[in-house]
C-alpha cells in the first residue's frame, strides 16, 4: 500500500488556521482568566468571569476584551506549528512500525498498524510541550501585561474614588492622579530587551514548562484514545463529531489538571502589581505565598475560564483537520481522521 502521509506544510497550515480561529473566538474568556488569576486578597475588582467581562466592556469598550490579542494572534501560528510538528516527530521516533507514527491531532496513516503504547504517547507529548515553550513563553509574557493593564487601572480608579470619599471633609480637595498610559506590545518588548535582555521575555520559563509539558502529556494520549473509541472499524476514520468532542474533552481535562501551574505562571509573569499584592522571587516562593495567604482554592482560580478557552480551541483544531483546509489549498490528498 502506498504511504499516505500528511505533508509538513499542510500540517503547519492547519495548525496555524486552527490557532487563529480559536484564539479569535475565545480570547475574551482568556482575558478574564488572566485577570481573575492575578487578583489577590487585596482590592478585588472582579467576582466572576461574567462580572469581569461586563466591567471590561463598560470601562474599556467591546475591543477592550481583545487587549493583547494581536500578540496572541501573531505568535499562535508558530506555537501550534511547533507543538504539532514536535509531537509528530517524537511519535515517529518512538514508533516501532511505520515511518510516521500516528499524530494526536492528525490522522494515523492507514498502513501504520502498530500503535504506540500509552507511555510512548506520553513521552511524545512531553517532548512537544517542551519544544513549544520557545514561542509560548514570550507570547504569554507580553499578553499577560496587556490583559492585566485594565484590571490595575480599574483598581486604581476604585482606590481613588474611596480616597476622595474619605477626604471630602478635609480643607483641601483631593486630586485624582492621571491615568497611566496603556502599554503596547512594542513598548513592552523594547523595555524588556533594554532592561533584561532576551531573558526578560523568558521570565517564568520554568513555570511555563511545568504547565505545558504536563498539559501535552495528558492531552495528546487522551485525545488519541478517545478518538480511537469512535472509529466504526479498524482502519476507518472517526466521525466528525467524535473528533470534535474528543478534542474538547481532552483539552478541558488537561487544562484543569495543570491550572495550579498556570496560576503560578501568570503571577510570575505579571510585572506590575496592584495595591497590597505580593511579589514573588520564583516558582516555589509564589506557590508558598499563594497557599499561605489565599488558601488551596486559589490554585483553581480561572480554571473554569481556562477550560472554556481550551475546549473549543482544540475542538476547532479538529474541525480544521477534518475539513482538510490546507490540503484543499495545496491540492493534496485529503486524509481525514
Amino acid at each position: 500500500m502506498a504511504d499516505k502521509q500528511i505533508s509538513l506544510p499542510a500540517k503547519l497550515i492547519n495548525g496555524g488556521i486552527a490557532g487563529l480561529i480559536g484564539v479569535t473566538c475565545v480570547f475574551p474568556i482568556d482575558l478574564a482568566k488572566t485577570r481573575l488569576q492575578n487578583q489577590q486578597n487585596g482590592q478585588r475588582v472582579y467576582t466572576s468571569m461574567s462580572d469581569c467581562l461586563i466591567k471590561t466592556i463598560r470601562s474599556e469598550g467591546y475591543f477592550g476584551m481583545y487587549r493583547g490579542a494581536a500578540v496572541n494572534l501573531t505568535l499562535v501560528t508558530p506555537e501550534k506549528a511547533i507543538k504539532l510538528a514536535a509531537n509528530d516527530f517524537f511519535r515517529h521516533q518512538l514508533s516501532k512500525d511505520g515511518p510516521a507514527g500516528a499524530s494526536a491531532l492528525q490522522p494515523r496513516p492507514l498502513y501504520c498498524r502498530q500503535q504506540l503504547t500509552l507511555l510512548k504517547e506520553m513521552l511524545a507529548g512531553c517532548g512537544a510541550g517542551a519544544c513549544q515553550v520557545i514561542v509560548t513563553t514570550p507570547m504569554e509574557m507580553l499578553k499577560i501585561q496587556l490583559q492585566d493593564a485594565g484590571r490595575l487601572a480599574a483598581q486604581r480608579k476604585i482606590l481613588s474614588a474611596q480616597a476622595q470619599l474619605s477626604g471630602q471633609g478635609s480643607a483641601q480637595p483631593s486630586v485624582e492622579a492621571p491615568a497611566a498610559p496603556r502599554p503596547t506590545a512594542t513598548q513592552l518588548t523594547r523595555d524588556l530587551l533594554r532592561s533584561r535582555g532576551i531573558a526578560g521575555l523568558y521570565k517564568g520559563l520554568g513555570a511555563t514548562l511545568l504547565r505545558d509539558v504536563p498539559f501535552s502529556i495528558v492531552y495528546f494520549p487522551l485525545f488519541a484514545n478517545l478518538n480511537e473509541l469512535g472509529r466504526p472499524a479498524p482502519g476507518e476514520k472517526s466521525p466528525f463529531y467524535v473528533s470534535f468532542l474528543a478534542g474538547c474533552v481532552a483539552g478541558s481535562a488537561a487544562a484543569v489538571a495543570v491550572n495550579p501551574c498556570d496560576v503560578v505562571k501568570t503571577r510570575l509573569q505579571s510585572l506590575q502589581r496592584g495595591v497590597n499584592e505580593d511579589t514573588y522571587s520564583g516558582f516555589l516562593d509564589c506557590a508558598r505565598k499563594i497557599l499561605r495567604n489565599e488558601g488551596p482554592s486559589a490554585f483553581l482560580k480561572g480554571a473554569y475560564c481556562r477550560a472554556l478557552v481550551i475546549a473549543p480551541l482544540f475542538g476547532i483544531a479538529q474541525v480544521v483537520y477534518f475539513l482538510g483546509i490546507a490540503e484543499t489549498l495545496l491540492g493534496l490528498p485529503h486524509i481525514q481522521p
Side-chain angles (χ1 to χ4, degrees):
M1 179 180 296
D3 290 355
K4 295 182 179 180
Q5 302 182 47
I6 296 295
S7 72
L8 180 61
K11 177 169 53 183
L12 300 185
I13 291 173
N14 279 331
I17 292 173
L20 291 173
I21 296 173
V23 166
T24 302
C25 293
V26 303
F27 193 83
I29 304 175
D30 186 64
L31 178 138
K33 175 205 71 101
T34 297
R35 294 186 176 183
L36 290 172
Q37 286 182 340
N38 266 331
Q39 286 194 142
Q40 301 183 26
N41 288 332
Q43 183 67 49
R44 299 176 67 87
V45 180
Y46 313 111
T47 59
S48 65
M49 179 185 74
S50 58
D51 180 58
C52 178
L53 294 177
I54 290 171
K55 288 180 177 177
T56 297
I57 293 175
R58 286 176 179 172
S59 61
E60 304 173 53
Y62 175 80
F63 290 104
M65 296 191 299
Y66 283 88
R67 192 170 301 280
V71 172
N72 217 182
L73 290 171
T74 301
L75 296 180
V76 73
T77 298
E79 180 205 25
K80 294 299 180 191
I82 291 172
K83 188 170 189 171
L84 300 180
N87 181 64
D88 281 349
F89 172 79
F90 288 116
R91 291 181 75 97
H92 165 58
Q93 296 299 319
L94 294 170
S95 177
K96 294 181 179 179
D97 188 40
S103 167
L105 275 181
Q106 71 169 47
R108 288 187 174 94
L110 299 180
Y111 66 89
C112 184
R113 302 298 180 183
Q114 179 69 35
Q115 294 185 7
L116 293 176
T117 63
L118 178 60
L119 177 60
K120 289 185 176 181
E121 287 184 326
M122 294 172 68
L123 288 173
C126 176
C131 290
Q132 78 173 84
V133 299
I134 298 172
V135 174
T136 303
T137 305
M139 177 181 73
E140 294 272 312
M141 182 70 184
L142 297 174
K143 182 189 71 172
I144 285 172
Q145 315 315 315
L146 297 169
Q147 287 181 330
D148 204 40
R151 180 186 71 89
L152 296 173
Q155 187 187 86
R156 286 191 295 268
K157 186 175 181 179
I158 292 174
L159 292 174
S160 177
Q162 291 175 347
Q164 286 182 355
L165 288 175
S166 63
Q168 280 181 347
S170 61
Q172 295 182 350
S174 59
V175 179
E176 183 176 354
R182 294 282 172 81
T184 65
T186 303
Q187 291 172 342
L188 287 170
T189 303
R190 185 168 55 247
D191 291 344
L192 283 170
L193 289 175
R194 183 186 301 118
S195 61
R196 307 187 187 186
I198 294 295
L201 292 174
Y202 282 87
K203 181 179 173 62
L205 174 62
T208 306
L209 278 168
L210 289 175
R211 182 198 67 171
D212 289 348
V213 170
F215 177 91
S216 295
I217 289 175
V218 173
Y219 173 77
F220 283 111
L222 183 56
F223 169 77
N225 286 277
L226 288 175
N227 192 51
E228 190 70 27
L229 293 175
R231 294 184 186 275
E236 294 186 16
K237 65 178 182 179
S238 296
F240 159 75
Y241 65 89
V242 171
S243 295
F244 177 78
L245 291 176
C248 290
V249 171
S252 58
V256 173
V258 303
N259 197 75
C261 291
D262 189 56
V263 172
V264 175
K265 181 200 72 67
T266 300
R267 297 280 182 92
L268 289 175
Q269 289 187 320
S270 297
L271 299 177
Q272 302 295 323
R273 303 290 177 192
V275 178
N276 298 324
E277 292 184 348
D278 290 326
T279 56
Y280 313 105
S281 60
F283 186 92
L284 292 179
D285 179 62
C286 181
R288 185 164 50 245
K289 287 181 178 177
I290 291 174
L291 182 62
R292 183 180 66 238
N293 299 334
E294 303 173 59
S297 62
F299 290 107
L300 293 179
K301 284 184 177 180
Y304 177 66
C305 297
R306 183 163 167 77
L308 287 179
V309 169
I310 297 297
L313 193 59
F314 282 90
I316 289 170
Q318 303 315 315
V319 173
V320 173
Y321 275 97
F322 186 90
L323 296 177
I325 295 175
E327 288 81 359
T328 301
L329 292 174
L330 299 176
L332 298 172
H334 180 199
I335 307 174
Q336 296 179 347

